[in-house]
Amino acid sequence: MNSMPKITHLDALLFDNRFIRELPGDPDVSNNRRQVIGACYSRVLPTKVAKPKLIAYSREVAAQLDLAPEICESDYFADVFTGNRLSVGMEPYATCYGGHQFGNWAGQLGDGRAINLGEVLNRQGRRLVLQLKGAGPTPYSRMADGLAVLRSSVREFLCSEAMHHLGVPTTRALSLTLTGESVIRDMFYDGNPKAEPGAVVCRVAPSFTRFGSFQIFTARGDIKLLKELVDYTIRTDFPHLGEPSPAVYLAWFEEVCRKTAEMIVHWQRVGFVHGVMNTDNMSILGLTIDYGPYGWLENYDPDWTPNTTDASTRRYRFGNQPQIAFWNLAQLANAIYPLIEQADLMQQAINVYAESFEKGWQDMMAGKLGLRAFDNSLSTELLAILQLVETDMTIFYRKLATMKIDNRLPEDDSDEALIMPLMEAYYVPEQLTPQYRERIGHWLRNYMRRIQKEETPDQERRVRMNSANPKYVLRNYMAQLAIDKAGQGDYSMIDELLQLLRHPYDEQVGKEAFAVKRPDWARKRAGCSMLSCSS
């Protein structure tokens, strides 16, 4: 544990801005939208705003940066992390990248509303990039204004931290501030724009490099710059692999495949749906990045996507996320192929994803069911059953853990008695037909037999299951309630949810209201069941 005194002024942070020091930058220092050629970044200043105001910060992320609470609650902190001031060592820039959006190459994209303030080295020597989202336009903003609204910023801030505490690889959020200005947004692109409060989130990660960061240079035929960026990434973020070479490029790509597989397994475990898995939204570190139109599965539906833009094809639906990650890795493989030029070795490397995901998924399902080893027939049948009626995924697994199996004969109980502990998970109990009850009763008996065969005591099984299955997740309607209150100037629910989501696997006496099914009013409400990329 670090016992050194905390930093009490932002100017004492140690910046080592290696990215802009070692990679070529844009010689044009104007902040005009343009195609940026032959450069990895463009220098750009955040846009100053009327009245910065801190409304929330993560004490855990502040601790990673060695920051004392008093500096986080200061006006200077709000000024810096809304974009009005720069502390010593900050050198703001936006990065250049491209990407496939909904399966189609989109050309140059880049940090259109994200501005990196610099790279901090904390007292443990860990590199952390500070990035403002919503701090104004950059050369990559295209037709947009580079700003963000309170609605989307609350969602990004809370979900970044919730995912971390769930054990899901993710970028983090240091702070959430208001700008004191309004931003015009057409939430559903339906011709009904309105003014919303402007806000800025400070995101934190070891790197914000994306698959699209490499794609853009290959697409432009700039293999020299591609190699520079790959070499930099390996030396900075994957130094354990050794000095860059064709063999190290392959090892690096394999590690990216493994990390991506691990991330997707976690998404499927907790019911997270990213909503917009474009290649520019895929982190080279295997971190969940860019919290836009995301959502959480409530009733288990593999075809569900929260993103209205994806409503017709459902490309990024929950059940398709593992396949999309593989497709995205194939695009990354195409991008770095000029550095390796051995198709068979590249194929072997990308197969690492499928192998890693399959093993990870099997281990994950065993954990969710409290099994010592994966059972394919049990898992396959359960996932089929969960889709038959509206079943809350989160509640189902937590209630399954309460089932008493010790010294109990599966044949002694009726279907009704077996199902009773699970009833809180059903949204429409009337859907439980005799055929359904018989089918799940049969599954529960098989499940009991498997647990008894493994000789796993109830208490041990519950501990195993409750460490894999959260009781609390950032349900879509909960985030919306916090947004509604914040829109009225009441930010208390943001803090309440931040505290709740720090301990998602614990019972948390007095917080049970946050562990119930989605209320009926939220079934079709905007922000609770459907979102757009507008923010």
Side-chain angles (χ1 to χ4, degrees):
M1 191 76 178
N2 181 17
S3 59
M4 293 181 67
K6 295 292 185 183
I7 291 172
T8 56
H9 199 287
L10 291 176
D11 288 349
L13 285 171
L14 175 61
F15 281 89
D16 177 39
N17 301 320
R18 186 173 177 181
F19 189 91
I20 61 172
R21 188 173 68 243
E22 297 189 7
L23 292 168
D26 180 3
D28 186 346
V29 296
S30 66
N31 192 359
N32 300 315
R33 279 73 157 182
R34 60 184 181 275
Q35 291 292 304
V36 175
I37 307 298
C40 292
Y41 64 90
S42 303
R43 293 182 183 268
V44 62
L45 292 172
T47 300
K48 292 186 177 181
V49 297
K51 193 176 181 183
K53 178 182 179 181
L54 177 74
I55 57 176
Y57 77 94
S58 165
R59 65 183 187 227
E60 294 88 353
V61 180
Q64 283 190 18
L65 294 164
D66 309 306
L67 295 176
E70 54 265 33
I71 183 58
C72 298
E73 294 159 11
S74 68
D75 290 341
Y76 185 68
F77 182 94
D79 282 345
V80 169
F81 292 111
T82 312
N84 271 21
R85 300 174 71 173
L86 297 177
S87 65
V88 173
M90 290 182 174
E91 298 179 90
Y93 63 95
T95 62
C96 180
Y97 53 82
H100 282 84
Q101 298 194 324
F102 298 93
N104 300 305
W105 177 245
Q108 177 181 292
L109 298 166
D111 286 330
R113 60 166 165 212
I115 297 176
N116 302 279
L117 295 176
E119 303 166 57
V120 171
L121 290 181
N122 70 8
R123 285 173 173 164
Q124 288 73 48
R126 189 177 180 214
R127 183 175 301 274
L128 295 167
V129 181
L130 307 181
Q131 183 184 86
L132 301 185
K133 183 174 181 180
T138 77
Y140 309 98
S141 295
R142 292 173 287 168
M143 301 300 291
D145 56 18
L147 305 176
V149 296
L150 179 62
R151 161 176 51 86
S152 63
S153 301
V154 167
R155 285 170 47 82
E156 172 127 19
F157 176 79
L158 286 175
C159 200
S160 299
E161 292 307 284
M163 292 283 271
H164 167 74
H165 293 295
L166 283 165
V168 183
T170 180
T171 59
R172 303 294 299 277
L174 170 63
S175 59
L176 171 62
T177 56
L178 289 172
T179 65
E181 299 180 357
S182 294
V183 177
I184 302 299
R185 284 291 181 269
D186 185 349
M187 184 174 177
F188 286 108
Y189 308 118
D190 59 0
N192 293 295
K194 69 173 187 176
E196 299 185 51
V200 175
V201 173
C202 179
R203 309 197 290 191
V204 180
S207 168
F208 286 94
T209 302
R210 302 131 186 281
F211 290 9
S213 303
F214 306 95
Q215 288 182 280
I216 188 67
F217 301 125
T218 306
R220 289 172 169 172
D222 193 343
I223 307 306
K224 178 178 179 293
L225 192 45
L226 168 71
K227 184 178 186 302
E228 285 187 63
L229 181 59
V230 171
D231 289 357
Y232 169 86
T233 300
I234 290 170
R235 289 181 177 126
T236 306
D237 300 312
F238 300 82
H240 55 282
L241 296 178
E243 270 299 293
S245 68
V248 169
Y249 297 149
L250 274 170
W252 168 66
F253 181 60
E254 286 185 6
E255 185 159 337
V256 173
C257 289
R258 274 191 294 271
K259 287 178 176 291
T260 302
E262 290 167 8
M263 176 187 74
I264 299 295
V265 166
H266 279 295
W267 288 6
Q268 304 306 102
R269 174 176 65 84
V270 300
F272 176 77
V273 191
H274 185 279
V276 59
M277 288 178 67
N278 298 329
T279 60
D280 57 296
N281 295 335
M282 296 290 291
S283 161
I284 204 68
L285 298 180
L287 304 176
T288 313
I289 192 172
D290 292 335
Y291 290 96
Y294 70 82
W296 295 84
L297 275 192
E298 287 167 330
N299 56 293
Y300 182 80
D301 178 4
D303 288 333
W304 184 69
T305 177
N307 188 353
T308 55
T309 311
D310 195 25
S312 59
T313 65
R314 299 186 183 273
R315 175 181 175 86
Y316 297 141
R317 62 193 181 276
F318 175 72
N320 206 36
Q321 291 183 135
Q323 290 75 26
I324 290 296
F326 182 80
W327 190 91
N328 288 344
L329 284 163
Q331 308 319 305
L332 176 60
N334 290 336
I336 65 171
Y337 180 78
L339 304 182
I340 300 167
E341 293 188 323
Q342 295 187 65
D344 55 338
L345 295 180
M346 291 293 288
Q347 185 61 54
Q348 290 173 29
I350 200 170
N351 288 343
V352 167
Y353 169 82
E355 295 161 4
S356 299
F357 177 81
E358 186 61 26
K359 184 183 185 307
W361 186 84
Q362 291 182 6
D363 291 346
M364 176 269 287
M365 284 303 300
K368 287 183 76 68
L369 293 174
L371 302 175
R372 291 178 178 166
F374 174 68
D375 187 306
N376 184 59
S377 61
L378 268 183
S379 299
T380 301
E381 174 65 358
L382 176 60
L383 295 181
I385 289 172
L386 289 177
Q387 299 175 59
L388 296 176
V389 301
E390 279 193 75
T391 310
D392 191 284
M393 171 180 160
T394 302
I395 295 174
F396 180 90
Y397 284 106
R398 289 292 288 208
K399 292 300 179 183
L400 184 64
T402 68
M403 190 176 182
K404 294 177 181 175
I405 296 178
D406 287 353
N407 305 313
R408 183 178 180 184
L409 292 175
E411 295 76 16
D412 284 356
D413 291 296
S414 66
D415 293 339
E416 293 292 330
L418 289 173
I419 297 170
M420 189 57 63
L422 308 174
M423 288 304 295
E424 287 182 35
Y426 295 112
Y427 281 92
V428 187
E430 295 78 15
Q431 293 177 339
L432 275 61
T433 62
Q435 293 84 354
Y436 175 86
R437 292 173 187 270
E438 180 181 356
R439 186 169 175 181
I440 195 170
H442 180 70
W443 183 88
L444 288 167
R445 291 184 183 89
N446 285 337
Y447 175 63
M448 292 172 67
R449 293 185 188 101
R450 175 58 191 260
I451 294 294
Q452 290 170 348
K453 181 180 178 181
E454 292 188 346
E455 299 182 347
T456 304
D458 278 349
Q459 182 57 28
E460 180 185 325
R461 177 178 58 89
R462 286 191 193 108
V463 169
R464 189 178 298 161
M465 292 178 71
N466 287 348
S467 65
N469 301 309
K471 180 168 183 174
Y472 301 99
V473 295
L474 184 61
R475 291 175 178 270
N476 312 315
Y477 82 90
M478 288 161 51
Q480 188 58 45
L481 288 175
I483 291 165
D484 291 345
K485 283 192 171 185
Q488 301 299 314
D490 179 357
Y491 311 114
S492 60
M493 193 169 180
I494 297 173
D495 285 326
E496 184 178 14
L497 290 178
L498 188 61
Q499 176 60 30
L500 175 84
L501 297 167
R502 283 188 172 111
H503 307 283
Y505 300 98
D506 297 349
E507 289 298 324
Q508 299 197 55
V509 176
K511 298 296 183 182
E512 289 82 1
F514 292 115
V516 299
K517 296 188 293 287
R518 172 200 63 226
D520 283 342
W521 61 261
R523 181 180 289 269
K524 297 295 182 183
R525 186 185 162 185
C528 300
S529 61
M530 49 188 170
L531 300 124
S532 74
C533 295
S534 167
S535 60

